Amino acid sequence: MPIYEYRCNQCNREFSELFLNLREAGKVRCKYCNSRNLSRLISSFRVHQTEGSRLENFDTSKSQGDAFYKDSRNVGLWAKKRMKELGVDLGSKMGEIVEKGRTGKILDDYNK
Ligand SMILES: [Zn+2]
């Protein structure tokens, strides 16, 4: 579940987006002005592994089935646990994003 940070070239604001899958990353728009003219920033919690290998290493089929992820509470739980494993310091901003993903609001955004 990658999280990207962007700067909008239109209104110059920065924001973060958590993606449930990489397909969504291509559809990102500015949260403030809806522009697609964005620059991706280097994420503050970037780890040594590439995104691809991180996703590869996370084998969801082993420990949890579909039911685990149907409970939205577990989504945030996983993200928090995973980032802790990666040595990521969860700031308040991060908690907010995880919370957004957890409650499904992020999906509403994409369905607009
Ligand atoms: Zn903007």
Side-chain angles (χ1 to χ4, degrees), residues 27-85:
K27 296 194 271 182
V28 67
R29 286 170 181 270
C30 175
K31 283 183 179 179
Y32 304 100
C33 70
N34 214 33
S35 170
R36 300 195 70 161
N37 186 10
L38 307 171
S39 300
R40 218 175 110 190
L41 305 174
I42 302 297
S43 180
S44 53
F45 55 86
R46 206 172 209 3
V47 292
H48 299 300
Q49 284 180 296
T50 65
E51 211 152 69
S53 67
R54 249 188 295 156
L55 290 171
E56 235 170 64
N57 292 342
F58 180 65
D59 189 352
T60 55
S61 64
K62 274 185 183 170
S63 47
Q64 285 93 25
D66 285 348
F68 180 82
Y69 288 101
K70 276 176 184 157
D71 184 341
S72 65
R73 283 172 302 178
N74 287 331
V75 176
L77 191 74
W78 169 78
K80 283 178 182 176
K81 181 176 182 282
R82 187 70 184 136
M83 276 178 250
K84 205 174 175 183
E85 284 170 1

Side-chain angles (χ1 to χ4, degrees), residues 3 5 16 18 44-45 75-77 79-80 83 88-103:
I3 297 167
E5 293 187 13
S16 304
L18 180 150
S44 53
F45 55 86
V75 176
L77 191 74
K80 283 178 182 176
M83 276 178 250
V88 174
D89 182 38
L90 284 172
S92 59
K93 195 177 169 192
M94 186 56 230
E96 193 184 296
I97 294 162
V98 169
E99 182 67 16
K100 198 181 176 191
R102 192 177 73 74
T103 56

